[in-house]
Amino acid sequence: MEAASLPAGLELVAGGGVGLSPEKRAVLGSSLLLLQRDYRFERVWFWGCIQGVRGAYYIAEGLGPDRAAPRSRLYSLNCVEWNLLPPATKEMVAQAEQLKGRFQGDPSFEYANPEINAEDAEGLIEDGKELLIKEEARLVATIEQIDRAVGIIPRGAFVKTPLGSVHENRNFEGLSLTEAKKLSSYFHFTEPVNLKNKTLLEKADLDPSTDFLDSLEHDVPQGSWTVQLEKGGTVVVLRSLLWLGLTFYHVPMTKQYGYVYFGTGEKNLDLPFML
């Protein structure tokens, strides 16, 4: 969610029982603006919070002119001092998927690599190679996984130019209430997968400037999203059941929308058995 509209955005997602204390909101409101100035970001989003056993990671994302370009991610343990995270790699994501259990809240904490068996481990120790995965790498990979799976935007909020760059749509005035209640009105804000597999006939009715992403209606498993009306029917709220803690809000007929994550950073692997 936008750093500039953080207090209002947090109020709109508070129906799920998560949020920040007034002190944390005040500190974040100031530090995110300083973060934007110091790193020369065009926009800063407050991504959310991953709660560990001994502490919490507060996450922010910095954006440049091209909204589809890789985002700079930063974390803080106290909402004041921010540390830049390295870009996520396929190896990081693959290793993080093997790790189980809660985050510790300590970036320097080290996990044993679960992909290496005992025999291989002995050989690697003799070679002097590192067998451990730092929690900071797991944090990077988890944020990447959540953004790919459940980071969403309303249809029409962004437009793709003929040159391929993605920008905010200045003409976007929000979805109607009827459209806002449909999963097909929301897109994954990441590289499309299903769109590439559609036939030319299926693409005939799509607008290439706005329909360049995958919609939520075909997410697997079916039923991994809940759509609710809150605040007297004035706010549409989507919650992910796959990554518990991810909440998206949109106020119909306005430009107010965003998502935030408050959780433990663990995927709900039991979801297929719960539906």
Side-chain angles (χ1 to χ4, degrees):
M1 75 176 49
E2 285 278 358
S5 59
L6 185 63
L10 289 173
E11 286 293 335
L12 295 176
V13 300
V18 296
L20 297 171
S21 65
E23 294 81 7
K24 284 284 191 295
R25 291 189 193 188
V27 173
L28 270 176
S30 301
S31 67
L32 289 176
L33 294 176
L34 294 174
L35 184 71
Q36 181 176 355
R37 183 200 67 184
D38 294 343
Y39 282 87
R40 300 182 185 276
F41 293 134
E42 190 167 292
R43 289 287 178 89
V44 168
W45 286 354
F46 176 62
W47 184 89
C49 172
I50 293 180
Q51 186 68 46
V53 176
R54 298 194 293 258
Y57 295 103
Y58 299 92
I59 315 298
E61 292 186 326
L63 292 83
D66 184 358
R67 297 295 191 262
R71 285 163 254 174
S72 299
R73 296 185 174 116
L74 305 97
Y75 75 91
S76 175
L77 300 174
N78 56 11
C79 298
V80 177
E81 299 169 344
W82 295 89
N83 302 283
L84 190 64
L85 289 167
T89 63
K90 291 182 180 179
E91 291 76 15
M92 279 184 185
V93 174
Q95 289 174 342
E97 288 176 344
Q98 302 296 321
L99 298 173
K100 308 298 180 186
R102 295 277 303 275
F103 278 80
Q104 296 300 308
D106 178 7
S108 61
F109 181 81
E110 296 177 327
Y111 300 88
N113 193 331
E115 293 183 340
I116 300 175
N117 58 40
E119 294 180 4
D120 293 339
E122 289 180 7
L124 288 173
I125 290 172
E126 291 173 1
D127 294 339
K129 292 186 179 179
E130 184 65 51
L131 294 175
L132 304 173
I133 304 168
K134 283 197 173 183
E135 183 157 280
E136 186 178 81
R138 184 189 180 190
L139 180 65
V140 172
T142 301
I143 297 170
E144 179 71 14
Q145 284 179 284
I146 294 174
D147 262 347
R148 283 186 195 171
V150 290
I152 60 176
I153 58 170
R155 181 181 183 273
F158 290 82
V159 292
K160 188 174 185 179
T161 67
L163 298 176
S165 59
V166 175
H167 303 280
E168 291 180 18
N169 185 2
R170 296 180 180 178
N171 297 320
F172 177 70
E173 295 296 337
L175 302 171
S176 66
L177 182 58
T178 304
E179 291 296 316
K181 292 187 286 186
K182 299 177 183 177
L183 283 179
S184 57
S185 298
Y186 301 95
F187 292 155
H188 289 282
F189 196 32
T190 186
E191 187 69 24
V193 177
N194 298 329
L195 186 65
K196 296 177 181 178
N197 299 326
K198 288 189 175 183
T199 64
L200 291 175
L201 186 61
E202 291 174 318
K203 293 180 180 179
D205 295 331
L206 300 181
D207 184 344
S209 65
T210 55
D211 300 319
F212 58 93
L213 299 168
D214 289 334
S215 71
L216 270 59
E217 60 180 333
H218 300 302
D219 278 14
V220 178
Q222 288 285 337
S224 61
W225 290 95
T226 66
V227 182
Q228 298 170 317
L229 290 176
E230 297 186 0
K231 304 290 185 182
T234 59
V235 182
V236 178
V237 176
L238 278 70
R239 292 188 173 90
S240 173
L241 301 180
L242 186 62
W243 288 94
L244 296 172
L246 190 289
T247 307
F248 171 89
Y249 73 92
H250 176 48
V251 181
M253 306 305 294
T254 74
K255 295 183 178 182
Q256 297 181 60
Y257 67 88
Y259 68 86
V260 69
Y261 178 82
F262 288 100
T264 60
E266 296 174 285
K267 191 175 184 180
N268 183 15
L269 299 176
D270 295 328
L271 179 60
F273 305 102
M274 297 166 63
L275 297 174

